């Protein structure tokens, strides 16, 4: 519970940055499949990179909270 409280104490800007960090990790988790490495290594890399992407996604959403998410969503709707 302490981690959730700490995350929620962070700023809106930090939440947006953490949330946006998930994008490159999602891309890397699938792009690494093109590398000439073993299937086992690809599986491990996918699990790690996809896990980091999910952690950034949920961490960012926790930092933003419901009000921050609504604020971000409204910002994109206006443009």
């Amino acid at each position: 519970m302490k981690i959730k409280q700490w995350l929620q104490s962070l700023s809106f800007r930090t939440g947006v940055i953490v949330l946006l960090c998930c994008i490159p990790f999602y891309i890397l988790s699938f792009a690494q499949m093109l590398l000439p490495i073993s299937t086992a290594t690809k599986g491990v890399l996918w699990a790690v990179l996809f896990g980091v992407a999910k952690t950034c996604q949920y961490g960012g959403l926790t930092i933003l909270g419901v009000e921050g998410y609504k604020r971000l969503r409204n910002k994109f709707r206006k443009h």
Side-chain angles (χ1 to χ4, degrees):
M1 198 61 153
K2 286 183 180 183
I3 293 173
K4 183 178 178 185
Q5 290 171 339
W6 175 72
L7 286 172
Q8 290 174 335
S9 72
L10 298 173
S11 72
F12 176 80
R13 181 178 177 192
T14 302
V16 172
I17 292 169
V18 171
L19 190 58
L20 289 176
C21 285
C22 74
I23 295 169
F25 285 109
Y26 278 125
I27 292 168
L28 287 172
S29 69
F30 290 100
Q32 59 83 24
M33 296 293 182
L34 301 173
L35 296 174
I37 53 179
S38 72
T39 304
T41 304
K42 287 179 183 182
V44 170
L45 278 174
W46 183 84
V48 170
L49 293 168
F50 196 79
V52 172
K54 281 294 186 188
T55 302
C56 289
Q57 179 183 354
Y58 293 133
L61 290 173
T62 301
I63 294 168
L64 290 175
V66 174
E67 291 305 313
Y69 174 75
K70 287 179 184 176
R71 181 176 161 192
L72 188 62
R73 187 182 66 204
N74 289 337
K75 187 151 187 92
F76 282 109
R77 281 188 178 168
K78 290 180 182 177
H79 293 16

